[in-house]
Amino acid sequence: MAISPERVAEVLLRQELLTPEQNDAVLREARQVPRRVRSTRAFEQRALGYEVILKLNFPAPAENGRAINEFDIAQALAREANLDFVRVEPLALDADLIESQISRPFARRHRMIPLSVDSGRLKVAVADPFDIEALDSYRRIAGREIDLVVASEPEILKALTEFYGLRHSVKRAERDLSAGIDLGNLEQLVNMKSEAEIESSDQHIVNAVEFMLQHAYDSRASDIHIEPKRKRSVIRFRIDGVLHDIQEMPKVVHAAVTSRIKAMARLDIAEKRRPQDGRIKTARGDREVELRISTLPVAFGEKVVLRIFDPDVLRQDLSSLGFYAEELELFNDFISRPHGIVLVTGPTGSGKTTTLYSALKHLSDNEVNITTIEDPIEMVHDELNQTAIHERIGITFASALRHILRQDPDIIMVGEIRDGETADYAIQAALTGHLVFSTLHTNDAPTSISRLTDLGVENFLINSTLLGVMAQRLVRKICPHCVMERYLEADEANLLRLTVPAGKRVKVHEGKGCHECRSTGYIGRAGIFEILAMSDPIKELIAKGVEAPVLKREAVRLGMKTLRQSALRKLAEGVTTVEEVLRVTGLN
């Protein structure tokens, strides 16, 4: 059973993590939960003692403003029982060991999970080291000596859910499929689009896909890769821009999982030779998360990539994207103009879509008509009129833009200016009183001027319509749970082209890697920006047709901060690392 709030508070009081007054507050809060409610099945999956303590947000003693967290509680319980404290890593769990040593109901009811066997002794993580009756029962069941360690109750519950979710479902599916289920028949059933038949005939595959999606959402993943290899299949998540191996599957399960995903996206599951694209909309709590599905035949089967479009990520408040105050003021000035063109540039994965959607969210109200042209539509929004490109039937950026101009728009977002025709229509739209947002694939802001010229746009038209250009990138942020200080090395200063005065040392930060950040040292990402405003001196240079480097030097002289300067500012503030600055902005 869950550890009671009263027992947790008693231990924390003895360990001097709570004052008597705080202990009284815990008891009052615990009395708000009737005992009859505590005994229900819904509470079986909750860590009530932890929940009550964490809800009250007590400050941790001797810590700088930090509140008591679940690991403080678990460490206190471990000290009380004179046992070691551990963190449970779900991906390191031994599936065969767990299945052979403990049942799911027993593990969940008594909050324990086997970790390893060493010299015949079983190491078991428990949430409540004082549940003597449960521990004695388990010793008899296991039939061997047990070494106990203490882990956080919420972490044990999460690990059990994850194990009996994706990993367990894959393992059970492998047994079922290997036992002779005909994959051809399975695909035929899926092709009938009957949810009841799919679930009744292949519940483990349904569960495996469901848990995979939930795990991806909880991990803040932006993409899920399911990659067939020669003898196995690998599931990888892209988290903060970097791919992580999550799970291996037998090849026999890969085909069934792929079929399930294709059925959910209403793709042709019988077609395995051609790439296919589709969408899935899923409910997560009180919001909808869209998935864009792409399949591709590769050497050992079909590779599937699911791009996750979380509305909370794609449509953020502009102030949360990483802008400094002066940058946000400048960008807000661009997007608040009645007409003109605003360009956002950068490579794939640099956050351009998030910036544009966030700007449209900022501008959307009942008084304006906002229309977008996208390839494909990244995220469906009720307040926008969104058009998807279909080049095979003649709907291109240029043709869609030509027709949209007859739809009385106020604001137009063109997914990308790829050719001269699209550029011409965007210019015409800006000249006729529309505010136009679009993207270009250029490395920095000044180079976008040269790109427009290469597409055939006259310099005087650029000066008449372009409001500003913003280049952006995403840098990973240092994990706050394992951040540490160090001094900048001389070779790093040279790579960054920083001049450090003799005898002076520059302090920088980095993450040493911990459980919270999956040993990467990073959690989350922040934008860095290079914003080129169309001032009179810049317009004069554009009219003369100068090259991008000349334009950039003048823009910097006038106050434009380059991507490297923006990244170095984040480095100096302890937001990111030397490694990230060099990775994102290059060596030059």
Side-chain angles (χ1 to χ4, degrees), residues 24 29 40 155 251 304 423 456 487 513 570:
D24 292 341
E29 184 70 28
T40 61
E155 197 165 67
K251 285 295 291 288
V304 182
Y487 290 103
K570 291 277 196 293

Side-chain angles (χ1 to χ4, degrees), residues 97 101 116-124 138-139 142-147:
L97 175 69
Q101 295 294 330
S116 62
V117 174
D118 186 16
S119 302
R121 299 179 69 88
L122 183 64
K123 183 178 180 181
V124 179
Y138 188 60
R139 281 191 178 92
R144 65 172 75 206
E145 290 298 317
I146 293 176
D147 294 326

Side-chain angles (χ1 to χ4, degrees), residues 234-292:
V234 178
I235 298 174
R236 300 200 288 170
F237 292 172
R238 187 177 295 279
I239 303 170
D240 296 333
V242 177
L243 282 170
H244 298 264
D245 287 355
I246 299 298
Q247 171 72 37
E248 288 190 0
M249 294 190 297
K251 285 295 291 288
V252 68
V253 178
H254 174 88
V257 167
T258 300
S259 293
R260 171 63 183 166
I261 292 170
K262 288 164 73 174
M264 292 170 69
R266 296 193 176 116
L267 301 179
D268 183 357
I269 65 172
E271 178 57 75
K272 302 179 184 296
R273 300 167 300 171
R274 291 188 296 115
Q276 297 186 69
D277 294 296
R279 310 179 77 88
I280 301 173
K281 180 171 284 190
T282 65
R284 176 157 171 79
D286 58 352
R287 69 182 191 274
E288 293 180 340
V289 177
E290 289 197 29
L291 306 170
R292 198 171 75 209

Side-chain angles (χ1 to χ4, degrees), residues 331-342:
F331 187 67
N332 272 326
D333 178 58
F334 294 164
I335 67 175
S336 60
R337 305 282 186 88
H339 54 82
I341 298 177
V342 178

Side-chain angles (χ1 to χ4, degrees), residues 408-575:
D408 187 30
D410 297 296
I411 300 170
I412 302 170
M413 186 186 90
V414 182
E416 183 185 346
I417 295 178
R418 295 177 180 173
D419 51 48
E421 188 180 7
T422 306
D424 287 340
Y425 281 119
I427 293 289
Q428 291 303 315
L431 288 172
T432 53
H434 303 90
L435 183 61
V436 180
F437 296 115
S438 191
T439 69
L440 283 175
H441 287 289
T442 59
N443 289 328
D444 58 19
T447 307
S448 61
I449 307 298
S450 302
R451 176 65 178 148
L452 289 175
T453 304
D454 292 342
L455 291 174
V457 181
E458 298 288 346
N459 290 334
F460 75 91
L461 289 175
I462 296 175
N463 280 341
S464 300
T465 58
L466 191 60
L467 300 174
V469 185
M470 183 174 76
Q472 72 174 80
R473 300 288 190 278
L474 294 174
V475 294
R476 289 184 290 172
K477 296 193 292 185
I478 298 171
C479 171
H481 304 283
C482 61
V483 61
M484 55 182 285
E485 293 182 346
R486 68 174 180 86
Y487 290 103
L488 189 69
E489 301 289 344
D491 58 340
E492 292 174 330
N494 290 333
L495 287 173
L496 294 170
R497 300 197 174 182
L498 292 177
T499 302
V500 181
K504 187 174 181 181
R505 305 180 76 185
V506 177
K507 190 177 291 184
V508 294
H509 297 78
E510 65 184 17
K512 59 184 177 183
C514 66
H515 187 88
E516 297 292 337
C517 61
R518 305 175 64 89
S519 300
T520 62
Y522 300 99
I523 289 183
R525 291 187 289 179
I528 57 171
F529 306 95
E530 175 180 291
I531 305 178
L532 174 65
M534 299 299 288
S535 60
D536 289 337
I538 294 297
K539 288 184 177 181
E540 289 177 12
L541 291 178
I542 292 173
K544 293 176 183 177
V546 302
E547 296 293 324
V550 177
L551 199 62
K552 184 167 187 172
R553 283 196 294 273
E554 178 63 14
V556 170
R557 190 187 69 78
L558 293 171
M560 182 186 82
K561 297 293 185 289
T562 65
L563 286 168
R564 170 59 66 83
Q565 289 171 321
S566 180
L568 288 174
R569 187 172 173 182
K570 291 277 196 293
L571 174 67
E573 293 172 349
V575 174

Side-chain angles (χ1 to χ4, degrees), residues 174-193:
E174 179 188 11
R175 290 176 183 169
D176 288 353
L177 293 170
S178 299
I181 290 180
D182 182 7
L183 274 182
N185 290 337
L186 171 66
E187 291 179 342
Q188 192 174 4
L189 283 172
V190 175
N191 205 25
M192 292 169 65
K193 307 292 191 299

Side-chain angles (χ1 to χ4, degrees), residues 34-324:
R35 293 202 173 275
R36 59 180 176 79
V37 176
R38 295 191 197 187
S39 62
T40 61
R41 178 167 291 186
F43 265 83
E44 212 175 280
Q45 299 183 15
R46 291 171 55 179
L48 183 60
Y50 280 73
E51 287 180 18
V52 170
I53 303 291
L54 299 178
K55 179 181 177 182
L56 293 171
N57 209 32
F58 294 130
E63 294 281 352
N64 186 21
R66 181 174 70 77
I68 289 176
N69 61 33
E70 63 179 275
F71 307 115
D72 295 323
I73 298 172
Q75 287 170 339
L77 289 166
R79 287 194 298 270
E80 188 79 4
N82 199 26
L83 296 172
D84 289 335
F85 163 76
V86 297
R87 295 291 304 271
V88 178
E89 173 54 66
L91 296 180
L93 295 175
D94 186 331
D96 293 328
L97 175 69
I98 295 174
E99 282 198 327
S100 65
Q101 295 294 330
I102 197 166
S103 70
R104 179 179 185 172
F106 191 94
R108 183 173 291 284
R109 180 172 180 79
H110 297 294
R111 276 50 171 168
M112 59 177 64
I113 189 166
L115 300 179
S116 62
V117 174
D118 186 16
S119 302
R121 299 179 69 88
L122 183 64
K123 183 178 180 181
V124 179
V126 297
D128 185 357
F130 306 107
D131 188 352
I132 305 301
E133 183 180 344
L135 296 175
D136 285 344
S137 296
Y138 188 60
R139 281 191 178 92
R140 290 194 299 271
I141 294 169
R144 65 172 75 206
E145 290 298 317
I146 293 176
D147 294 326
L148 295 180
V149 291
V150 177
S152 144
E153 185 175 357
E155 197 165 67
I156 288 177
L157 289 173
K158 181 181 177 183
L160 288 170
T161 299
E162 199 164 306
F163 168 72
Y164 286 109
L166 176 58
R167 300 189 68 181
H168 193 64
S169 296
V170 166
K171 198 171 185 66
R172 294 293 297 272
E174 179 188 11
R175 290 176 183 169
D176 288 353
L177 293 170
S178 299
I181 290 180
D182 182 7
L183 274 182
N185 290 337
L186 171 66
E187 291 179 342
Q188 192 174 4
L189 283 172
V190 175
N191 205 25
M192 292 169 65
K193 307 292 191 299
S194 167
E195 190 71 12
E197 287 185 70
I198 294 169
E199 290 186 357
S200 63
S201 65
D202 197 23
Q203 188 63 48
H204 299 309
I205 293 297
V206 174
N207 289 343
V209 172
E210 174 73 17
F211 280 110
M212 179 183 69
L213 295 180
Q214 294 292 346
H215 189 185
Y217 298 157
D218 292 339
S219 301
R220 301 175 294 103
S222 60
D223 301 84
I224 303 170
H225 291 239
I226 307 174
E227 304 174 350
K229 306 298 181 185
R230 187 182 299 277
K231 296 181 179 179
R232 58 192 171 87
S233 176
V234 178
I235 298 174
R236 300 200 288 170
F237 292 172
R238 187 177 295 279
I239 303 170
D240 296 333
V242 177
L243 282 170
H244 298 264
D245 287 355
I246 299 298
Q247 171 72 37
E248 288 190 0
M249 294 190 297
K251 285 295 291 288
V252 68
V253 178
H254 174 88
V257 167
T258 300
S259 293
R260 171 63 183 166
I261 292 170
K262 288 164 73 174
M264 292 170 69
R266 296 193 176 116
L267 301 179
D268 183 357
I269 65 172
E271 178 57 75
K272 302 179 184 296
R273 300 167 300 171
R274 291 188 296 115
Q276 297 186 69
D277 294 296
R279 310 179 77 88
I280 301 173
K281 180 171 284 190
T282 65
R284 176 157 171 79
D286 58 352
R287 69 182 191 274
E288 293 180 340
V289 177
E290 289 197 29
L291 306 170
R292 198 171 75 209
I293 315 302
S294 173
T295 69
L296 180 71
V298 294
F300 300 111
E302 276 188 291
K303 180 185 176 187
V304 182
V305 175
L306 299 86
R307 169 67 60 89
I308 300 171
F309 294 105
D310 188 332
D312 287 353
V313 174
L314 270 182
R315 292 194 304 164
Q316 301 180 46
D317 189 88
L318 285 171
S319 60
S320 67
L321 298 180
F323 286 107
Y324 290 110

